[in-house]
Amino acid sequence: MVRDPISAESMPSAEEICAALDDPDCREIIRNLEEPMTASELTSRCDIPQSTLYRKLELLTDATLLEESTEIRRDGHHASKYAVAFDEITLVLEEDRSLGVQIERPARTADERLAELWSEVRKET
């Protein structure tokens, strides 16, 4: 199992992850993300209005189920691309009888880590 790169403090709750996965539009987005895609590519692939799609992308990203990266374009009009950020999700019953979640993440290449770093820098500026 690949270690989860997200710290325990930023790990979403089991309830947040279940809420995202309970949404049919969110599941449709995940189903269609065989490779990283922009929101406009997803709009044409999924039967979801663009305004709704952006809300669902935010929900999935906040739940750490999707990963957002920046596609750098020569014309300066950079685009966000989204990719599925998990291989497996396991719900567990903790000792205190609360639900916990374990997320197995795909291995990351150096290029992917650099792209993630660039996306974080872009968000800060």
Side-chain angles (χ1 to χ4, degrees):
M1 175 148 85
V2 176
R3 247 183 107 205
D4 189 346
I6 297 172
S7 66
E9 306 86 53
S10 65
M11 175 64 82
S13 68
E15 291 80 10
E16 290 172 289
I17 290 173
C18 288
L21 292 174
D22 188 43
D23 186 297
D25 289 337
C26 289
R27 291 193 309 272
E28 181 68 15
I29 291 166
I30 291 170
R31 200 173 8 262
N32 281 283
L33 271 174
E34 296 171 11
E35 62 184 347
M37 300 173 84
T38 64
S40 16
E41 291 169 332
L42 278 166
T43 298
S44 61
R45 173 94 40 108
C46 304
D47 191 23
I48 302 171
Q50 193 164 18
S51 60
T52 302
L53 182 89
Y54 278 109
R55 285 193 310 274
K56 304 305 178 171
L57 289 172
E58 183 177 3
L59 177 64
L60 287 163
T61 303
D62 288 348
T64 72
L65 300 177
L66 291 187
E67 176 176 80
E68 182 180 1
S69 63
T70 303
E71 178 182 61
I72 307 300
R73 296 180 177 168
R74 289 182 183 263
D75 65 3
H77 293 82
H78 308 314
S80 290
K81 281 201 156 194
Y82 299 88
V84 175
F86 67 94
D87 287 329
E88 185 175 307
I89 297 173
T90 306
L91 290 175
V92 295
L93 188 59
E94 303 288 356
E95 286 183 24
D96 67 355
R97 309 296 289 168
S98 65
L99 283 179
V101 66
Q102 297 172 349
I103 301 177
E104 184 177 329
R105 307 262 182 209
R108 304 184 56 95
T109 66
D111 287 345
E112 289 170 329
R113 290 191 307 270
L114 182 60
E116 179 182 350
L117 179 61
W118 175 251
S119 290
E120 290 301 315
V121 168
R122 185 171 175 246
K123 287 177 190 174
E124 296 294 324
T125 58

